[in-house]
Amino acid sequence: MTLSLDLTANPTRDMLRARAAMSAKGSLIGLSRAELGEALVSAGVPERQAKMRVQQLWHWLYVRGVSDFSEMLNISKDLRTALERDFTIARPEIVEEQISNDGTRKWLFRFPPRGAGRPVEIETVYIPEEGRGTLCISSQVGCTLTCSFCHTGTQKLVRNLTAEEILTQLMTARDRLGDFPERGTPDGAIVPAEGRKITNIVMMGMGEPLYNFEEVKKALLIASDGDGLSLSKRRITLSTSGVVPEIFRTGDEIGVMLAISLHATNDDLRDLLVPINKKYPLNELIAACRAYPGLSNAKRITFEYVMLKDVNDSIEDAKALIKLLRGIPAKINLIPFNPWPGTNYQCSDWETIEKFADYINNAGYASPIRTPRGRDILAACGQLKSESERMKKVDRLALEAMMIAGHGEA
Ligand code: SAH
Ligand code: SF4
């Protein structure tokens, strides 16, 4: 059974709407400690108190997960009122929440306009598995890149998401799963039996995270902050199509796990599939991977490889893949292609995928084949009401399929 909570017509919706970040006030979420200190001083906190207040706020925001200043009990009423007047800590509006019978959850979040823009909607997907729960997060609305097998690649970039918007995808998912202290998990939710409900995050939703480097960096440093959301960097994976200069910066400045959308083992084919390859060809990409800091058997790069029938799925391709990755601590993620209306590609036959996977396994690589999750909620998204700023149904189907299929092996 698929449970779909239509939040367009019930009191919960009104409540969420009221709390949604629709105001022009700046958010305190996504600010560094120094920026948070400046914000507090601007709201009237004496300089000498700022550091202590920052610590208190950080704890309320990121450990306790409060989304209302009134819950910050050790902060004086006057200061809470001043903060409320100048700032917001609200979550995005939840337009829809869908729950698949395999426990996969999908939220459609709406973020307010920035400047003269329109509100934007993005999806975030939660995938529970034995012993872990992975959240797939978006970094941009649309994408400037044009990978030929990816439906997002046919859409224009609408805008980059802010650090706040990247983080509130995680924080709102934690709200809804009861993954903050003293919050109950919804009855019947499929989540890991023990510990945290969201154990891993993958930047594998919409957009190219390394084309929104500064905001992604801010968000991931806060997500991995040990005094706050406390996700280990080992459990955060950033997927990129191969923006080489920012791969170096990711290693130096963020230090999370890396996934590379490889998909081809020679420049001619990769130029066609992942056109950023023309700018940063395979030899540069692979060199950046080899130089990624801290690689070991326990800390490997994930190489994503979409299985496209008669394009990149022969045993020759598998051999070339092994040769290309020689010496790099690597995992290989084979992703069955998710077709979308109008595409010229087809998914490889199952037998071909298995042969390919066997070859790679025999060469010593674990190569899980991503089995699609939450298929039933993909079907159900045809039930969404259409709105002018909402993506077309076909676009949404393709994006959802991609997010769920490509959610990684972190
Ligand atoms: N833009 C980033 C992250 C998002 S894409 C990147 O390209 O890495 C997440 C994964 O899904 C990527 O490996 C992407 O290549 C893959 N993908 C995109 N469209 C797909 C499709 N139709 N079928 C299967 N995988 C797809
Ligand atoms: Fe953008 Fe990634 Fe899709 Fe390429 S695969 S178009 S980089 S979202």
Side-chain angles (χ1 to χ4, degrees):
M1 188 197 68
T2 301
L3 178 61
S4 175
L5 306 181
D6 181 356
L7 298 174
T8 51
N10 67 23
T12 321
R13 165 70 175 233
D14 293 340
M15 185 268 289
L16 290 168
R17 235 188 215 296
R19 291 170 59 168
M22 296 301 282
S23 69
K25 290 190 264 186
S27 179
L28 294 182
I29 297 170
L31 301 184
S32 66
R33 283 187 175 79
E35 290 167 335
L36 200 51
E38 283 164 27
L40 287 173
V41 170
S42 80
V45 172
E47 296 259 3
R48 63 193 150 72
Q49 278 186 21
K51 202 170 167 203
M52 182 259 296
R53 294 286 179 211
V54 165
Q55 264 175 348
Q56 287 175 329
L57 264 177
W58 199 267
H59 185 82
W60 284 116
L61 292 177
Y62 300 122
V63 177
R64 307 296 290 270
V66 306
S67 53
D68 202 320
F69 290 109
S70 65
E71 293 176 65
M72 299 182 170
L73 298 177
N74 59 356
I75 293 184
S76 74
K77 190 140 192 301
D78 285 352
L79 179 55
R80 278 190 262 149
T81 310
L83 290 174
E84 176 89 59
R85 185 192 59 218
D86 296 348
F87 300 106
T88 173
I89 53 170
R91 306 293 195 242
E93 182 182 346
I94 305 174
V95 180
E96 198 183 36
E97 173 174 77
Q98 285 181 282
I99 305 165
S100 156
N101 53 13
D102 66 12
T104 302
R105 282 172 190 245
K106 192 173 56 137
W107 294 276
L108 183 64
F109 294 135
R110 181 177 296 156
F111 293 107
R114 301 280 166 198
R118 288 157 157 262
V120 292
E121 290 176 357
I122 57 105
E123 272 173 359
T124 304
V125 177
Y126 174 67
I127 300 143
E129 286 165 293
E130 192 67 37
R132 72 174 179 189
T134 305
L135 192 72
C136 181
I137 292 180
S138 296
S139 56
Q140 299 183 306
V141 185
C143 189
T144 47
L145 298 173
T146 52
C147 303
S148 54
F149 59 90
C150 172
H151 206 258
T152 308
T154 66
Q155 297 163 36
K156 287 208 176 76
L157 176 73
V158 178
R159 69 168 171 84
N160 284 333
L161 294 177
T162 62
E164 172 210 351
E165 292 164 336
I166 295 167
L167 278 169
T168 51
Q169 293 175 61
L170 167 62
M171 295 165 76
T172 313
R174 289 189 67 183
D175 291 340
R176 302 297 295 175
L177 291 164
D179 201 21
F180 279 118
E182 294 161 40
R183 309 288 161 103
T185 304
D187 280 349
I190 300 175
V191 291
E194 284 176 6
R196 288 168 68 157
K197 319 290 181 281
I198 298 173
T199 58
N200 293 57
I201 58 180
V202 291
M203 298 298 299
M204 289 189 187
M206 200 187 234
E208 169 49 60
L210 296 189
Y211 272 3
N212 184 16
F213 186 84
E214 297 301 336
E215 297 299 305
V216 166
K217 171 181 163 181
K218 273 177 114 177
L220 295 185
L221 291 181
I222 292 175
S224 58
D225 186 286
D227 293 323
L229 290 161
S230 272
L231 271 160
S232 152
K233 288 183 181 179
R234 293 273 177 104
R235 289 175 172 268
I236 300 177
T237 302
L238 181 152
S239 174
T240 177
S241 56
V243 191
V244 166
E246 269 69 32
I247 291 177
F248 289 108
R249 289 190 65 195
T250 303
D252 293 341
E253 299 174 34
I254 316 182
V256 293
M257 305 294 283
L258 193 64
I260 302 287
S261 292
L262 188 66
H263 309 315
T265 55
N266 62 72
D267 284 322
D268 287 345
L269 181 57
R270 198 161 188 272
D271 283 351
L272 292 174
L273 298 180
V274 188
I276 198 180
N277 194 69
K278 291 184 208 151
K279 196 163 177 195
Y280 304 114
L282 275 170
N283 62 345
E284 291 182 24
L285 177 61
I286 295 297
C289 291
R290 282 188 202 285
Y292 200 73
L295 291 184
S296 68
N297 258 351
K299 195 178 167 199
R300 286 179 283 175
I301 295 182
T302 301
F303 289 90
E304 296 156 282
Y305 196 92
V306 62
M307 296 300 291
L308 300 168
K309 186 176 179 146
D310 299 332
V311 174
N312 64 356
D313 61 352
S314 70
I315 288 298
E316 292 311 308
D317 292 308
K319 279 187 193 161
L321 180 58
I322 298 305
K323 198 167 161 216
L324 186 69
L325 302 186
R326 193 162 289 150
I328 304 178
K331 289 188 257 189
I332 299 170
N333 228 352
L334 298 181
I335 313 178
F337 171 63
N338 279 295
W340 36 272
T343 179
N344 292 326
Y345 296 108
Q346 287 175 288
C347 182
S348 309
D349 305 325
W350 195 250
E351 205 182 309
T352 310
I353 298 179
E354 284 193 327
K355 276 194 191 144
F356 199 100
D358 282 348
Y359 186 90
I360 285 169
N361 279 325
N362 289 337
Y365 292 90
S367 57
I369 305 166
R370 280 278 130 222
T371 39
R373 296 284 303 264
R375 273 264 153 93
D376 51 339
I377 54 180
L378 299 188
C381 61
Q383 295 157 358
L384 291 175
K385 292 194 198 76
S386 77
E387 266 178 35
S388 56
E389 70 267 24
R390 197 168 280 174
M391 271 184 258
K392 281 196 250 121
K393 183 182 154 202
V394 288
D395 294 348
R396 294 169 43 77
L397 281 168
L399 170 67
E400 287 155 4
M402 175 184 100
M403 288 177 72
I404 287 173
H407 76 93
E409 187 44 33

